[in-house]
Amino acid sequence: MQTHVFAGFFGGMAAAVTLQPLDLLKTRVQQAPAAGIASAVKSLGSIHEAWRGTLPSLIRTSVGASLYMGLLSKFRDIRAEHSARISPLSIEKSSASSILPKLSALDNVLTGAAARSIVGFIMMPITVVKVRFESNHFNYRSIWSAVYDISRGPSGWKGLFSGYGATISRDAPYAGIYMLFYEASKDVLQLGWLPSPLVNSAAAVNASVLATTLTAPFDTVKTRIQVSVSNLTFPEAWKQITAGGWRSLFDGLSLRLARKALSAGISWGIYEEIVKLVAKRNILANETT
Ligand SMILES: *[C@@H]1O[C@H](CO)[C@@H](O)[C@H](O)[C@H]1NC(C)=O
Ligand SMILES: *[C@@H]1O[C@H](CO)[C@@H](O)[C@H](O)[C@H]1NC(C)=O
Protein backbone atom coordinates (compact mmCIF):
# COMPACT_ATOMS: atom_id res chain seq x y z
CA MET A 1 0.00 0.00 0.00
CA GLN A 2 2.90 2.40 0.77
CA THR A 3 4.01 2.17 -2.86
CA HIS A 4 0.60 3.35 -4.03
CA VAL A 5 0.51 6.20 -1.50
CA PHE A 6 3.99 7.29 -2.64
CA ALA A 7 3.26 6.92 -6.37
CA GLY A 8 -0.07 8.71 -5.98
CA PHE A 9 1.64 11.59 -4.18
CA PHE A 10 4.10 12.20 -7.01
CA GLY A 11 1.49 11.74 -9.72
CA GLY A 12 -0.78 14.27 -8.01
CA MET A 13 2.08 16.68 -7.42
CA ALA A 14 3.22 16.64 -11.05
CA ALA A 15 -0.32 17.27 -12.25
CA ALA A 16 -0.89 20.13 -9.78
CA VAL A 17 2.32 21.96 -10.72
CA THR A 18 1.85 21.50 -14.47
CA LEU A 19 -1.78 22.56 -14.49
CA GLN A 20 -1.67 25.46 -12.02
CA PRO A 21 -1.71 28.05 -14.85
CA LEU A 22 -4.95 26.50 -16.17
CA ASP A 23 -6.50 26.70 -12.71
CA LEU A 24 -5.45 30.28 -12.27
CA LEU A 25 -6.85 31.25 -15.69
CA LYS A 26 -10.12 29.50 -14.85
CA THR A 27 -10.39 31.51 -11.62
CA ARG A 28 -9.73 34.76 -13.46
CA VAL A 29 -12.21 33.98 -16.21
CA GLN A 30 -14.86 33.12 -13.64
CA GLN A 31 -14.05 36.23 -11.59
CA ALA A 32 -14.77 38.57 -14.44
CA PRO A 33 -17.41 36.99 -16.69
CA ALA A 34 -16.91 39.66 -19.32
CA ALA A 35 -13.24 38.75 -19.72
CA GLY A 36 -12.41 35.89 -22.06
CA ILE A 37 -9.48 33.53 -21.87
CA ALA A 38 -7.36 35.79 -24.09
CA SER A 39 -7.63 38.79 -21.79
CA ALA A 40 -7.02 36.59 -18.76
CA VAL A 41 -3.76 35.51 -20.37
CA LYS A 42 -2.90 39.16 -21.06
CA SER A 43 -3.58 40.02 -17.41
CA LEU A 44 -0.62 37.90 -16.40
CA GLY A 45 2.35 40.20 -15.80
CA SER A 46 4.96 37.48 -16.14
CA ILE A 47 5.26 33.78 -16.76
CA HIS A 48 6.00 33.48 -13.02
CA GLU A 49 2.61 34.81 -12.10
CA ALA A 50 0.89 31.92 -13.86
CA TRP A 51 2.06 29.67 -11.02
CA ARG A 52 0.74 31.86 -8.20
CA GLY A 53 -1.07 29.90 -5.50
CA THR A 54 0.65 26.63 -6.43
CA LEU A 55 1.59 25.60 -2.89
CA PRO A 56 -1.86 25.21 -1.31
CA SER A 57 -3.32 23.46 -4.33
CA LEU A 58 -0.21 21.29 -4.56
CA ILE A 59 -0.54 20.11 -0.96
CA ARG A 60 -4.24 19.45 -1.33
CA THR A 61 -3.88 17.58 -4.63
CA SER A 62 -0.93 15.40 -3.64
CA VAL A 63 -2.32 14.49 -0.22
CA GLY A 64 -5.70 13.73 -1.80
CA ALA A 65 -4.15 11.68 -4.60
CA SER A 66 -1.93 9.63 -2.26
CA LEU A 67 -4.84 8.82 0.07
CA TYR A 68 -7.02 7.91 -2.90
CA MET A 69 -4.43 5.68 -4.60
CA GLY A 70 -3.57 3.96 -1.31
CA LEU A 71 -7.18 3.18 -0.45
CA LEU A 72 -8.13 2.29 -4.02
CA SER A 73 -5.28 -0.21 -4.33
CA LYS A 74 -6.28 -1.72 -0.98
CA PHE A 75 -9.88 -2.17 -2.14
CA ARG A 76 -8.78 -3.53 -5.52
CA ASP A 77 -6.43 -6.04 -3.87
CA ILE A 78 -9.25 -7.28 -1.68
CA ARG A 79 -11.52 -7.80 -4.67
CA ALA A 80 -8.68 -9.30 -6.74
CA GLU A 81 -8.21 -12.05 -4.16
CA HIS A 82 -11.42 -13.49 -5.48
CA SER A 83 -10.12 -13.50 -9.03
CA ALA A 84 -6.67 -14.06 -10.54
CA ARG A 85 -3.78 -12.38 -8.73
CA ILE A 86 -0.66 -11.22 -10.48
CA SER A 87 2.48 -13.16 -9.58
CA PRO A 88 5.85 -11.39 -9.17
CA LEU A 89 7.19 -13.50 -12.01
CA SER A 90 4.61 -12.25 -14.45
CA ILE A 91 5.45 -8.65 -13.50
CA GLU A 92 9.05 -9.15 -14.54
CA LYS A 93 8.24 -10.87 -17.81
CA SER A 94 5.21 -8.81 -18.63
CA SER A 95 5.22 -6.19 -21.33
CA ALA A 96 1.82 -4.95 -20.13
CA SER A 97 1.55 -1.20 -19.58
CA SER A 98 0.13 -1.76 -16.10
CA ILE A 99 0.54 -4.20 -13.24
CA LEU A 100 -2.63 -3.22 -11.41
CA PRO A 101 -4.92 -6.20 -10.71
CA LYS A 102 -7.66 -6.92 -13.25
CA LEU A 103 -11.19 -6.66 -11.86
CA SER A 104 -14.70 -7.18 -13.16
CA ALA A 105 -16.49 -4.12 -14.54
CA LEU A 106 -18.70 -3.92 -11.45
CA ASP A 107 -15.70 -4.13 -9.10
CA ASN A 108 -13.92 -1.38 -11.06
CA VAL A 109 -16.93 0.90 -10.59
CA LEU A 110 -17.56 0.04 -6.93
CA THR A 111 -13.94 0.25 -5.70
CA GLY A 112 -13.46 3.61 -7.44
CA ALA A 113 -16.67 5.07 -6.04
CA ALA A 114 -16.04 3.74 -2.51
CA ALA A 115 -12.45 5.01 -2.31
CA ARG A 116 -13.50 8.42 -3.62
CA SER A 117 -16.37 8.75 -1.13
CA ILE A 118 -14.10 8.04 1.83
CA VAL A 119 -11.21 10.24 0.71
CA GLY A 120 -13.68 12.98 -0.20
CA PHE A 121 -14.98 12.90 3.37
CA ILE A 122 -11.49 13.07 4.89
CA MET A 123 -10.49 15.95 2.59
CA MET A 124 -13.76 17.89 3.02
CA PRO A 125 -12.55 20.26 5.79
CA ILE A 126 -9.53 21.24 3.67
CA THR A 127 -11.82 21.83 0.69
CA VAL A 128 -14.21 23.98 2.72
CA VAL A 129 -11.33 26.03 4.17
CA LYS A 130 -9.81 26.49 0.69
CA VAL A 131 -13.08 27.75 -0.76
CA ARG A 132 -13.53 30.17 2.16
CA PHE A 133 -9.97 31.42 1.70
CA GLU A 134 -10.55 32.06 -1.98
CA SER A 135 -13.84 33.82 -1.44
CA ASN A 136 -13.47 37.47 -0.47
CA HIS A 137 -16.42 37.29 1.92
CA PHE A 138 -14.09 36.11 4.65
CA ASN A 139 -10.76 37.57 5.64
CA TYR A 140 -9.00 34.74 7.41
CA ARG A 141 -5.40 35.27 8.37
CA SER A 142 -4.56 31.63 9.06
CA ILE A 143 -5.90 28.16 8.45
CA TRP A 144 -6.52 27.76 12.17
CA SER A 145 -8.56 30.92 12.45
CA ALA A 146 -10.66 29.68 9.51
CA VAL A 147 -11.21 26.28 11.14
CA TYR A 148 -12.05 27.95 14.47
CA ASP A 149 -14.47 30.38 12.90
CA ILE A 150 -16.29 27.74 10.81
CA SER A 151 -16.63 25.36 13.75
CA ARG A 152 -18.18 28.14 15.88
CA GLY A 153 -20.69 28.92 13.11
CA PRO A 154 -24.39 27.96 13.13
CA SER A 155 -23.75 24.31 12.21
CA GLY A 156 -20.71 23.77 14.46
CA TRP A 157 -18.11 21.22 13.40
CA LYS A 158 -20.53 20.00 10.75
CA GLY A 159 -19.77 23.25 8.92
CA LEU A 160 -16.39 21.78 7.97
CA PHE A 161 -18.28 19.15 5.98
CA SER A 162 -20.85 21.38 4.33
CA GLY A 163 -21.54 20.42 0.73
CA TYR A 164 -20.30 16.85 1.21
CA GLY A 165 -23.49 15.29 -0.15
CA ALA A 166 -23.45 17.43 -3.28
CA THR A 167 -19.73 16.90 -3.81
CA ILE A 168 -19.91 13.14 -3.44
CA SER A 169 -22.94 12.85 -5.71
CA ARG A 170 -20.61 14.12 -8.41
CA ASP A 171 -17.28 12.54 -7.41
CA ALA A 172 -18.34 8.97 -6.62
CA PRO A 173 -20.02 8.39 -10.02
CA TYR A 174 -17.05 10.09 -11.68
CA ALA A 175 -14.51 7.80 -9.98
CA GLY A 176 -16.56 4.67 -10.72
CA ILE A 177 -17.10 5.51 -14.40
CA TYR A 178 -13.47 6.61 -14.71
CA MET A 179 -12.08 3.30 -13.41
CA LEU A 180 -14.38 1.34 -15.71
CA PHE A 181 -13.29 3.20 -18.86
CA TYR A 182 -9.65 3.48 -17.76
CA GLU A 183 -9.22 -0.28 -17.46
CA ALA A 184 -11.11 -0.87 -20.71
CA SER A 185 -9.09 1.76 -22.61
CA LYS A 186 -5.76 0.30 -21.42
CA ASP A 187 -6.76 -3.04 -22.92
CA VAL A 188 -7.64 -1.39 -26.24
CA LEU A 189 -4.56 0.84 -26.49
CA GLN A 190 -2.19 -1.90 -25.36
CA LEU A 191 -2.64 -3.58 -28.73
CA GLY A 192 -1.40 -0.53 -30.63
CA TRP A 193 2.07 0.93 -31.15
CA LEU A 194 2.15 3.30 -28.16
CA PRO A 195 4.91 2.89 -25.51
CA SER A 196 3.53 1.92 -22.10
CA PRO A 197 3.63 5.31 -20.31
CA LEU A 198 1.64 6.75 -23.20
CA VAL A 199 -0.81 3.83 -23.18
CA ASN A 200 -1.67 4.64 -19.57
CA SER A 201 -1.81 8.40 -20.09
CA ALA A 202 -3.93 8.13 -23.23
CA ALA A 203 -6.27 5.67 -21.48
CA ALA A 204 -6.55 8.12 -18.57
CA VAL A 205 -7.40 11.01 -20.91
CA ASN A 206 -10.00 8.90 -22.72
CA ALA A 207 -11.57 7.70 -19.47
CA SER A 208 -11.58 11.17 -17.94
CA VAL A 209 -13.25 12.77 -20.97
CA LEU A 210 -16.02 10.16 -20.87
CA ALA A 211 -16.48 10.30 -17.08
CA THR A 212 -16.39 14.12 -16.93
CA THR A 213 -18.98 14.42 -19.70
CA LEU A 214 -21.31 11.84 -18.19
CA THR A 215 -21.16 13.43 -14.72
CA ALA A 216 -21.31 17.05 -15.91
CA PRO A 217 -24.98 17.46 -14.85
CA PHE A 218 -24.02 16.57 -11.25
CA ASP A 219 -21.31 19.22 -11.27
CA THR A 220 -23.71 21.87 -12.53
CA VAL A 221 -26.32 20.91 -9.92
CA LYS A 222 -23.68 20.95 -7.15
CA THR A 223 -22.53 24.44 -8.09
CA ARG A 224 -26.12 25.67 -8.29
CA ILE A 225 -26.92 24.29 -4.83
CA GLN A 226 -23.76 25.74 -3.33
CA VAL A 227 -24.25 29.26 -4.63
CA SER A 228 -27.98 29.41 -3.91
CA VAL A 229 -29.04 31.47 -0.91
CA SER A 230 -32.11 29.37 -0.21
CA ASN A 231 -31.74 25.65 0.45
CA LEU A 232 -32.24 24.14 -2.97
CA THR A 233 -32.80 20.39 -3.07
CA PHE A 234 -31.26 18.30 -5.82
CA PRO A 235 -34.55 17.96 -7.82
CA GLU A 236 -35.30 21.68 -7.39
CA ALA A 237 -31.87 22.67 -8.66
CA TRP A 238 -32.18 20.21 -11.56
CA LYS A 239 -35.57 21.65 -12.53
CA GLN A 240 -34.29 25.20 -12.31
CA ILE A 241 -31.28 24.45 -14.53
CA THR A 242 -33.21 22.53 -17.18
CA ALA A 243 -35.95 25.18 -17.39
CA GLY A 244 -34.08 26.73 -20.31
CA GLY A 245 -33.30 23.37 -21.95
CA TRP A 246 -31.24 20.33 -20.97
CA ARG A 247 -28.10 21.73 -22.57
CA SER A 248 -27.64 24.02 -19.57
CA LEU A 249 -26.72 20.92 -17.56
CA PHE A 250 -23.44 20.90 -19.50
CA ASP A 251 -22.48 24.58 -18.98
CA GLY A 252 -18.76 25.13 -18.51
CA LEU A 253 -17.90 21.62 -19.65
CA SER A 254 -14.98 22.48 -21.94
CA LEU A 255 -12.76 24.11 -19.29
CA ARG A 256 -13.40 21.26 -16.87
CA LEU A 257 -12.75 18.69 -19.57
CA ALA A 258 -9.35 20.17 -20.40
CA ARG A 259 -8.35 20.43 -16.76
CA LYS A 260 -9.55 16.99 -15.64
CA ALA A 261 -8.36 15.05 -18.68
CA LEU A 262 -4.85 16.54 -18.58
CA SER A 263 -4.66 16.02 -14.84
CA ALA A 264 -5.70 12.36 -15.15
CA GLY A 265 -3.25 11.80 -18.03
CA ILE A 266 -0.29 13.19 -16.08
CA SER A 267 -1.06 11.73 -12.66
CA TRP A 268 -2.09 8.21 -13.75
CA GLY A 269 0.78 7.98 -16.24
CA ILE A 270 3.33 8.79 -13.54
CA TYR A 271 1.55 6.70 -10.90
CA GLU A 272 1.60 3.52 -13.03
CA GLU A 273 5.29 3.95 -13.92
CA ILE A 274 6.32 4.39 -10.27
CA VAL A 275 4.27 1.36 -9.19
CA LYS A 276 6.00 -0.75 -11.88
CA LEU A 277 9.47 0.58 -11.03
CA VAL A 278 9.05 -0.22 -7.33
CA ALA A 279 7.69 -3.70 -8.08
CA LYS A 280 10.64 -4.48 -10.38
CA ARG A 281 13.16 -3.21 -7.84
CA ASN A 282 11.59 -5.34 -5.13
CA ILE A 283 11.90 -8.41 -7.34
CA LEU A 284 15.56 -7.67 -8.07
CA ALA A 285 16.24 -7.11 -4.36
CA ASN A 286 14.62 -10.46 -3.52
CA GLU A 287 16.69 -12.26 -6.13
CA THR A 288 20.00 -10.97 -4.86
CA THR A 289 19.33 -11.78 -1.21
C1 LIG B 1 -12.16 5.05 -25.10
O1 LIG B 1 -13.07 4.38 -24.24
C2 LIG B 1 -14.12 3.70 -24.89
C3 LIG B 1 -15.00 3.10 -23.82
O2 LIG B 1 -14.30 2.21 -23.01
C4 LIG B 1 -13.56 2.63 -25.81
O3 LIG B 1 -14.62 1.99 -26.49
C5 LIG B 1 -12.60 3.26 -26.80
O4 LIG B 1 -12.00 2.26 -27.56
C6 LIG B 1 -11.54 4.04 -26.04
N1 LIG B 1 -10.68 4.70 -26.98
C7 LIG B 1 -9.38 4.61 -26.88
C8 LIG B 1 -8.59 5.35 -27.90
O5 LIG B 1 -8.85 4.01 -25.95
C1 LIG C 1 -31.43 25.20 5.35
O1 LIG C 1 -31.61 23.95 5.98
C2 LIG C 1 -31.06 23.86 7.28
C3 LIG C 1 -31.23 22.45 7.79
O2 LIG C 1 -31.86 21.62 6.88
C4 LIG C 1 -31.72 24.88 8.18
O3 LIG C 1 -31.15 24.83 9.48
C5 LIG C 1 -31.53 26.27 7.60
O4 LIG C 1 -32.21 27.23 8.37
C6 LIG C 1 -32.06 26.33 6.17
N1 LIG C 1 -31.75 27.61 5.58
C7 LIG C 1 -32.62 28.25 4.81
C8 LIG C 1 -32.14 29.57 4.26
O5 LIG C 1 -33.71 27.80 4.54
Side-chain angles (χ1 to χ4, degrees):
M1 186 168 165
Q2 300 93 303
T3 307
H4 296 270
V5 170
F6 173 80
F9 186 88
F10 281 100
M13 190 170 89
V17 173
T18 319
L19 298 175
Q20 183 61 23
L22 256 183
D23 243 13
L24 185 127
L25 285 180
K26 185 178 132 253
T27 304
R28 298 213 170 168
V29 168
Q30 287 176 336
Q31 249 179 8
I37 293 178
S39 64
V41 171
K42 266 192 215 139
S43 79
L44 295 175
S46 65
I47 190 88
H48 235 83
E49 198 182 330
W51 272 271
R52 211 153 87 170
T54 301
L55 194 63
S57 89
L58 188 132
I59 293 169
R60 201 173 76 93
T61 310
S62 22
V63 170
S66 57
L67 281 178
Y68 177 65
M69 293 309 202
L71 201 59
L72 182 65
S73 82
K74 191 91 211 153
F75 287 168
R76 291 177 65 86
D77 279 348
I78 292 170
R79 294 307 300 165
E81 258 154 20
H82 301 287
S83 51
R85 278 190 71 92
I86 297 164
S87 74
L89 213 77
S90 68
I91 293 175
E92 205 175 11
K93 299 251 166 62
S94 161
S95 60
S97 73
S98 167
I99 59 169
L100 302 187
K102 292 272 165 229
L103 303 184
S104 69
L106 183 64
D107 280 343
N108 274 325
V109 172
L110 292 182
T111 52
R116 173 52 66 210
S117 307
I118 295 169
V119 173
F121 185 77
I122 298 171
M123 298 297 289
M124 206 61 211
I126 303 179
T127 307
V128 171
V129 167
K130 171 184 168 279
V131 171
R132 290 269 188 122
F133 252 102
E134 283 174 353
S135 156
N136 46 14
H137 293 171
F138 310 89
N139 275 317
Y140 297 129
R141 262 181 259 131
S142 73
I143 292 190
W144 297 117
S145 65
V147 170
Y148 183 73
D149 185 69
I150 294 167
S151 63
R152 275 169 37 106
S155 21
W157 288 104
K158 280 191 198 147
L160 288 168
F161 295 90
S162 77
Y164 176 71
T167 304
I168 239 49
S169 70
R170 175 196 65 179
D171 289 353
Y174 174 89
I177 295 169
Y178 174 88
M179 285 313 293
L180 179 68
F181 288 135
Y182 178 60
E183 292 297 324
S185 302
K186 277 195 293 193
D187 289 343
V188 174
L189 290 163
Q190 193 102 253
L191 307 171
W193 46 268
L194 283 175
S196 94
L198 285 185
V199 168
N200 297 327
S201 288
V205 169
N206 188 38
S208 181
V209 166
L210 290 163
T212 305
T213 308
L214 288 173
T215 57
F218 293 104
D219 181 67
T220 311
V221 169
K222 169 187 163 286
T223 307
R224 184 63 64 99
I225 290 174
Q226 283 178 334
V227 301
S228 80
V229 192
S230 58
N231 282 341
L232 278 183
T233 63
F234 193 97
E236 283 165 357
W238 183 282
K239 234 170 111 189
Q240 205 185 77
I241 294 163
T242 52
W246 60 269
R247 270 163 190 275
S248 310
L249 285 169
F250 295 87
D251 276 351
L253 179 59
S254 58
L255 259 180
R256 267 217 354 281
L257 266 183
R259 168 98 184 55
K260 286 203 76 99
L262 288 173
S263 169
I266 295 168
S267 56
W268 282 82
I270 291 175
Y271 165 77
E272 294 259 17
E273 291 309 301
I274 295 179
V275 169
K276 271 191 295 184
L277 258 177
V278 173
K280 282 183 182 162
R281 279 189 58 148
N282 287 345
I283 290 167
L284 283 179
N286 284 340
E287 277 169 358
T288 51
T289 51

